[in-house]
Amino acid sequence: MTAPLDVLVVGAGPTGLALATQLRAYATRFRVVDRSLDRVRESRAPAIQPRTLEMLAGFGVTDELVDHGNASVRLHLHLSRRTLHVPVFDVGCDDTAYPFLLFLPQSETEAVLTARLAARDVTVERGTELVSAEPEGEYVTCRLRTGEGSEETVRARYVVGCDGAHSTVRDQAGIAFEGHAYPQTFLLADLEVDGLEASAAHTFMTASGLLFFFPLGTPATWRMIAMYPPGARPDEVTLDLLQQIADDWTADRLTLRDPVWMTSFRIHNRGATHYRKGPFFLAGDAAHIHSPAGGQGMNTGIQDALNLGWKLAHVCRGAAPEELLATYEAERAPVGHRVRRLTDRAFTVGTSSHPALRLARTRLAPRFAPLFLRATGPRARLFRTVSELGIHYRRGPLSTTGPTPPGRGPRAGDRLPDVPRGLQQRTAGPGYDLLLTGPWPEIPPLHDLVGVHRLGTESPWSGATHALVRPDGYVGYVARGTDLTGLRTYLDRWLPGPRT
C-alpha cells in the first residue's frame, strides 16, 4: 500500500482539474483519477464567466484560456418581429479585468488545465475508477480499479467527488441527491450553419420555446440547442430533424450541415442534501445539476473547487483547524441553491407551454425587451448575477467585520474588486493578503501565510483601513483604523498554525 494521501480527487472534468491545480499550488499530497480514458472531445459547457477567469488567473491559466477562446461575442435576440442586438457585460463589470463572456469549448478548457498540471509534474490518472471508499480511523480506504482490471488500495485523509451527476463518491458517502427532471427532451449538436452572423450568439424566442446557436470554433463552428418538436421521436437525432426545427422556428434561411456530434438529453434540477459528510466532499455536478440557462454549471463547479482546495491544503499542512472545512458547505451550498433557483425560473419562462408564458415570449418580450436594454441599472444587476461577480459570503462563518467598519468599499465576505487595476494580480496565489490603506505605521510580521501590501490612497477603501483577503480572493476581515487587535483574533481562530 502506498503512503497515505492528503486528498484523493475523483473526477477530472473542469471541477476536478481546477481543484488539482489549486492543491498543487499548495504542495498538497494528492492524486486525481477519472474513469474515462480521455478528456471530453465534445464542446459541452461552452462559456467561462468573468469571475471564473479571475479566480483561475492566479494559477497562470487564464491568459491561455483567453488566447484559445472568443471574447468578442455579442448576443442577437431574435423575436417574432425584430432582432435585438444585446450588449453583453457592457455595464456592471467595470471592476474586473475580464468584462466579457469567454466562449471556449469545455474540451479546450480541460486541455489547458491538464497541460498546466502536466507542467507541474501532475499526471491525471485516466481509466481509473473509484470502486469503494470506506472511512477507517483518520483515513478513508479507497479501492481503485484500472481499465485493465487491476486494483489498488490507497488511503486518503479526504476524498472529493468531482465525478458528476452519477457520483460514486456521493453514493459511497450516503448523501442524497434530491430534485426533479423536466418533462421536455432536448437535442444538442455541434455543426456548421450557413446564414448566421459569426461572432455572435443567437437566441430565437418562439411560442414553442427557445432555440440557441453558440459560436464554438472547435470541434465545429456552432453549438445548437433546442427542444424536440411535438411528434418527433425523442430517441431520434438526425440532421433532417435539426433542419426542420431551424426552418420552423426561425424566419431566417439557415442551412445546417456537417454535424460533428448530435445527441438528445433530459435536463434535471437536483442538489445534494449535503456538500460534506465526514471526510467526503462534493463539488460541481456531483453537488448540483440544473439547466444550462445562463452558463452557470461549469463555472459554479470550478468555483466550488477553488473555495474548497485552499481550505483542504491549510488543514492538511496543520496551519488551520479542522473547523475550517465546515465553512465549505456553509458558503457554497447557498450559492448552489441560488443557481438552481435562478436557472429553474429562466428555464420555465423559456420552455413552458403554459398559455401565459407563451404569450410572454411572443407578445410581451418584443414590446418590453427594448425598454429593458435601455435601463442600465437593471441590466447591470443582471450581468453581476450571470457573471458571478456578485457572489459573496457576507453571512458566512469566515466573514468578520472589525469593531469599526469602513464607510464604503467591499464588506467582509465580498469579492475583492480589481480596483485599482492589477490589485487582484497582486493578491493572487497561495496564502492570505493583508491590504493596508492610508497612512500606516510599521507592523511586525503576522504569519508566514500572510503577505502585506500597502495601497496608500489607491484602494477600494478610503482612509486608514485594513482588510485580510482570503486565498480565493474574498475579503475575510475588514476594519477601519490601525488597531490590529480584531485581525489578530481572526488569525488566531482561522490560522493558528506555524507563524513567522
Side-chain angles (χ1 to χ4, degrees):
M1 185 180 295
T2 58
L5 302 170
D6 288 327
V7 182
L8 176 65
V9 181
V10 182
T15 299
L17 293 172
L19 177 60
T21 300
Q22 190 178 50
L23 292 175
R24 180 64 182 87
Y26 283 86
T28 308
R29 296 172 301 172
F30 75 95
R31 289 170 61 179
V32 53
V33 301
D34 193 295
R35 66 168 67 95
S36 299
L37 294 174
D38 196 3
R39 61 181 174 85
V40 300
R41 297 296 174 179
E42 305 86 10
S43 56
R44 297 194 183 179
I48 307 179
Q49 300 290 352
R51 181 55 184 152
T52 304
L53 293 172
E54 286 184 345
M55 295 186 72
L56 290 172
F59 306 104
V61 298
T62 294
D63 288 346
E64 189 172 354
L65 292 171
V66 173
D67 288 343
H68 280 73
N70 186 345
S72 60
V73 174
R74 297 158 296 161
L75 174 61
H76 290 184
L77 180 59
H78 301 264
L79 304 172
S80 57
R81 296 184 180 86
R82 64 192 303 179
T83 296
L84 299 177
H85 304 287
V86 182
V88 179
F89 298 158
D90 62 318
V91 292
C93 296
D94 55 352
D95 61 350
T96 178
Y98 309 100
F100 49 80
L101 181 65
L102 182 69
F103 276 86
L104 183 68
Q106 179 180 328
S107 56
E108 294 298 305
T109 300
E110 291 188 13
V112 170
L113 290 171
T114 300
R116 175 63 178 173
L117 288 169
R120 303 204 65 187
D121 301 319
V122 175
T123 299
V124 178
E125 301 177 47
R126 296 199 175 274
T128 301
E129 66 174 320
L130 175 69
V131 178
S132 64
E134 186 70 29
E136 296 179 354
E138 62 178 317
Y139 293 105
V140 181
T141 299
C142 303
R143 188 156 57 96
L144 305 178
R145 180 185 297 148
T146 67
E148 292 77 24
S150 62
E151 292 194 355
E152 176 188 7
T153 299
V154 300
R155 293 182 298 160
R157 289 182 63 181
Y158 304 102
V159 178
V160 184
C162 306
D163 48 346
H166 304 288
S167 170
T168 300
V169 174
R170 192 180 62 233
D171 290 343
Q172 291 292 307
I175 299 174
F177 201 47
E178 299 178 347
H180 63 276
Y182 294 101
Q184 302 91 340
T185 300
F186 289 78
L187 56 82
L188 180 151
D190 293 345
L191 72 176
E192 303 302 318
V193 182
D194 298 328
L196 282 178
E197 180 181 337
S199 295
H202 298 265
T203 299
F204 293 86
M205 186 175 291
T206 73
S208 300
L210 300 179
L211 169 62
F212 299 95
F213 290 96
F214 298 112
L216 294 176
T218 182
T221 304
W222 294 98
R223 151 69 56 86
M224 175 181 178
I225 303 177
M227 284 195 306
Y228 268 93
R233 290 174 48 194
D235 60 344
E236 179 184 46
V237 184
T238 65
L239 184 60
D240 288 342
L241 176 61
L242 303 179
Q243 186 66 60
Q244 175 192 333
I245 293 173
D247 293 341
D248 294 345
W249 288 24
T250 76
D252 301 337
R253 294 184 176 180
L254 305 180
T255 300
L256 280 55
R257 57 182 175 82
D258 301 330
V260 174
W261 181 51
M262 299 184 294
T263 189
S264 62
F265 64 98
R266 296 283 300 278
I267 291 177
H268 296 250
N269 188 303
R270 302 185 188 277
T273 53
H274 295 286
Y275 282 28
R276 179 199 183 184
K277 186 174 181 182
F280 298 101
F281 294 84
L282 304 177
D285 286 357
H288 43 73
I289 57 173
H290 42 78
S291 92
Q296 303 293 290
M298 179 186 72
N299 293 274
T300 303
I302 290 175
Q303 292 178 46
D304 286 344
L306 299 183
N307 180 287
L308 175 61
W310 66 273
K311 297 174 180 178
L312 287 169
H314 281 184
V315 170
C316 289
R317 69 180 291 178
E322 176 80 15
E323 180 186 5
L324 180 65
L325 298 180
T327 69
Y328 170 64
E329 179 169 344
E331 291 184 338
R332 292 306 296 176
V335 174
H337 294 157
R338 286 195 297 270
V339 169
R340 290 179 56 206
R341 184 170 61 248
L342 172 68
T343 57
D344 179 68
R345 291 173 180 173
F347 180 86
T348 301
V349 170
T351 62
S352 175
S353 60
H354 190 281
L357 294 180
R358 288 168 62 96
L359 177 67
R361 291 196 297 266
T362 57
R363 299 291 181 86
L364 299 182
R367 179 175 300 179
F368 291 106
L371 299 177
F372 175 77
L373 293 179
R374 290 196 291 268
T376 57
R379 250 188 335 118
R381 288 190 290 273
L382 174 63
F383 290 161
R384 295 293 288 188
T385 299
V386 173
S387 68
E388 303 193 349
L389 295 172
I391 291 174
H392 65 81
Y393 308 123
R394 292 175 183 170
R395 298 182 180 179
L398 284 178
S399 303
T400 301
T401 302
T404 307
R408 66 171 181 84
R411 295 153 58 182
D414 285 357
R415 151 193 167 270
L416 178 71
D418 196 35
V419 178
R421 185 67 79 232
L423 180 59
Q424 289 183 350
Q425 183 177 2
R426 291 177 63 182
T427 58
Y432 289 78
D433 291 275
L434 177 61
L435 306 183
L436 307 177
T437 298
W440 271 82
E442 290 298 319
I443 62 173
L446 295 167
H447 198 287
D448 61 352
L449 288 177
V450 178
V452 178
H453 307 268
R454 294 178 179 271
L455 303 184
T457 58
E458 288 189 318
S459 164
W461 299 274
S462 60
T465 300
H466 55 285
L468 187 70
V469 181
R470 301 166 14 171
D472 56 355
Y474 289 87
V475 178
Y477 178 91
V478 64
R480 190 169 61 196
T482 60
D483 183 356
L484 299 181
T485 302
L487 173 66
R488 294 181 187 280
T489 301
Y490 184 93
L491 292 175
D492 286 342
R493 179 181 181 187
W494 296 113
L495 209 57
R499 297 173 180 267
T500 51

